[in-house]
Amino acid sequence: MTTISPTRVSMYDFLYQDTQPMVSLLADAAQLSLPQTRLAVGFGLQAIVSALLAYQQRYQGLSVSKKLFNRSAVKELRRYNSMNFTTIKVTSYHRHDVANAIFKDSTDVIKASEYIANKIDATTSQVQTLLTCLCVIVLRELAILADYSQLDNDEIDKWFALQPQFLSLERFAAIEPKITPADNKEYTISTKSTELELDSKELNVFNNKQLSSVPPPFDPYWYELTAFKPDNYKPVQDMQLATGHYLKAIGRSSDNLQQGGHNDLLIFAEMTAITLPHQRWLLQLAKISEIYLQRDRLRITSEPENPPKPPLVSLGLIGGNSESTPATTSEIPIEYDAPVPIWKNPIILIIILVIGSLSALATLKYQTQKSNGAIPATAEVLKQDLMEERQQQDVAIVMVDNGETDIKKAAKTE
């Protein structure tokens, strides 16, 4: 039995880890230092995810799919498979349009930029550039996940309904991060300079790849800014799937590990304050998310000649029994002998050989007789047939006066 982290279906967690390789590119676009950019990306993703949840709460999954995931800007950006200066240039071209579509209006974008700028000691203009660029990247990444997971509108609604629990304070309290902006002086931003001053120990923290996958705690201020109401947005859970008896019956319980019948099934690992239904579409989404994160797709590099293939998820891994040995004889598939190819069948080869030999002999004999004069030319044959036809005699029956029948022959020539 294979377990997968519940955070693989968390938009906030996925996007935070997914965008880490392009932090330096965003820093260059917004004219920020690397430490400033790392902090700004965390706050910016919180604002964008909250705005997306509010958008879906107002318009539902159909509008999310058609008006956000299928925007022309997203389709154009999906043509690129790597992050570089060309990609960020296309992102910058569409950033204002996409940001205004996600947030209620441009006023919210400015308010969010001001709030983040105060947190990282930067200008509002710098943060607004980074935030709006992030809007395009976020929309593109979520559109890819929804597309290759084949989510319909109802499943998109359910996916969004699961997100508030990943942003709850209880969830981050259970993680107990060792370093937080509130209680560690290494995250204190110097007010004496516009540049962020970090000592060598803090730089080591930022370079720790393991810690970079854990996003900072969510700030409830973003719910207030985007007018999202998590209390009225409780996810609908399938209680039958949450019971241990049902999980054991379908082979998704640890009690079934020794039976060897469902060892390859994919299930969600337990996580405090997180409840996920074991549904096929959600497991498929989680696996595709994990594959994309392992590929490190947003690393800064030149565009590849051949685009990478979309990830494929085995249906047996999600909900079937992939054990090599069937449990009963009736489960053994019937195996039929493969038909012998025509070019390997000896009987057909012999028939083709005989027909070919006879045809060759007949052709050779005809050519020989023609060359010796035994076969007249075609024109000569037609001339002789015509002369014989003209020399044929016609027979006529004539009635005479005495009642006797006399047969006379009359030759007619033309």
Side-chain angles (χ1 to χ4, degrees), residues 348-361:
I348 296 179
L349 291 178
I350 293 175
I351 294 175
I352 294 175
L353 182 62
V354 171
I355 294 176
S357 301
L358 294 176
S359 300
L361 290 175

Side-chain angles (χ1 to χ4, degrees), residues 56-69:
Q56 190 274 338
Q57 193 174 63
R58 293 193 301 268
Y59 304 113
Q60 306 305 316
L62 178 61
S63 295
V64 172
S65 177
K66 289 187 175 182
K67 296 183 179 180
L68 293 184
F69 290 167

Side-chain angles (χ1 to χ4, degrees), residues 40-334:
V41 166
F43 288 118
L45 291 177
Q46 294 179 20
I48 296 171
V49 169
S50 180
L52 284 173
L53 293 180
Y55 184 96
Q56 190 274 338
Q57 193 174 63
R58 293 193 301 268
Y59 304 113
Q60 306 305 316
L62 178 61
S63 295
V64 172
S65 177
K66 289 187 175 182
K67 296 183 179 180
L68 293 184
F69 290 167
N70 287 314
R71 295 184 72 86
S72 58
V74 176
K75 292 180 179 179
E76 182 177 355
L77 196 62
R78 287 186 62 175
R79 295 168 49 193
Y80 300 91
N81 299 281
S82 295
M83 285 295 158
N84 45 52
F85 288 111
T86 300
T87 314
I88 204 67
K89 183 178 180 180
V90 176
T91 303
S92 300
Y93 179 79
H94 295 286
R95 61 190 181 91
H96 290 295
D97 177 62
V98 174
N100 292 334
I102 294 177
F103 290 87
K104 294 192 303 294
D105 49 47
S106 58
T107 304
D108 285 351
V109 178
I110 297 176
K111 289 181 179 179
S113 302
E114 292 176 348
Y115 185 81
I116 298 174
N118 292 331
K119 292 284 187 180
I120 67 171
D121 193 17
T123 65
T124 303
S125 177
Q126 289 174 312
V127 175
Q128 186 174 358
T129 300
L130 184 142
L131 180 63
T132 50
C133 285
L134 268 181
C135 286
V136 185
I137 300 297
V138 165
L139 217 56
R140 178 223 192 204
E141 296 301 281
L142 295 182
I144 290 176
L145 287 185
D147 181 16
Y148 289 117
S149 301
Q150 300 179 359
L151 302 185
D152 56 27
N153 298 327
D154 181 61
E155 290 167 345
I156 289 178
D157 284 329
K158 294 179 180 178
W159 184 28
F160 274 76
L162 297 172
Q163 299 310 309
Q165 59 184 327
F166 292 104
L167 308 177
S168 64
L169 297 177
E170 294 79 6
R171 177 253 168 136
F172 288 100
I175 296 177
E176 295 181 356
K178 297 180 180 180
I179 300 175
T180 60
D183 57 12
N184 194 293
K185 63 181 180 180
E186 294 172 358
Y187 278 84
T188 302
I189 301 173
S190 174
T191 58
K192 298 180 181 179
S193 174
T194 57
E195 295 294 332
L196 202 64
E197 297 177 356
L198 299 172
D199 55 19
S200 59
K201 185 177 181 180
E202 185 175 0
L203 292 176
N204 291 332
V205 170
F206 278 124
N207 291 329
N208 191 326
K209 189 173 182 179
Q210 182 178 1
L211 290 180
S212 66
S213 62
V214 180
F218 183 79
D219 189 347
Y221 165 78
W222 301 116
Y223 285 165
E224 178 183 349
L225 176 66
T226 60
F228 176 69
K229 300 178 176 56
D231 296 337
N232 301 333
Y233 206 53
K234 296 295 183 182
V236 178
Q237 300 291 343
D238 190 342
M239 296 308 297
Q240 187 182 24
L241 290 173
T243 61
H245 175 73
Y246 183 76
L247 293 178
K248 182 176 180 180
I250 64 176
R252 290 173 176 163
S253 172
S254 57
D255 299 336
N256 290 26
L257 290 177
Q258 297 179 354
Q259 298 180 10
H262 303 276
N263 291 348
D264 294 333
L265 280 179
L266 185 69
I267 66 171
F268 286 113
E270 293 184 3
M271 187 173 180
T272 305
I274 301 297
T275 304
L276 296 178
H278 289 77
Q279 295 180 359
R280 182 183 296 272
W281 68 270
L282 194 61
L283 288 166
Q284 181 168 325
L285 173 65
K287 189 59 180 178
I288 290 177
S289 172
E290 183 177 64
I291 294 173
Y292 271 160
L293 291 178
Q294 291 175 353
R295 288 182 178 181
D296 203 15
R297 296 169 48 254
L298 298 188
R299 63 183 180 275
I300 303 174
T301 181
S302 59
E303 185 70 14
E305 295 182 0
N306 298 319
K309 295 181 179 180
L312 298 177
V313 180
S314 172
L315 296 180
L317 181 66
I318 295 177
N321 186 353
S322 59
E323 190 180 13
S324 58
T325 305
T328 61
T329 307
S330 61
E331 297 179 11
I332 301 177
I334 300 175

Side-chain angles (χ1 to χ4, degrees), residues 396-408:
I397 302 175
V398 181
M399 182 69 67
V400 296
D401 295 338
N402 56 5
E404 294 181 357
T405 303
D406 184 17
I407 301 176
K408 297 182 180 181

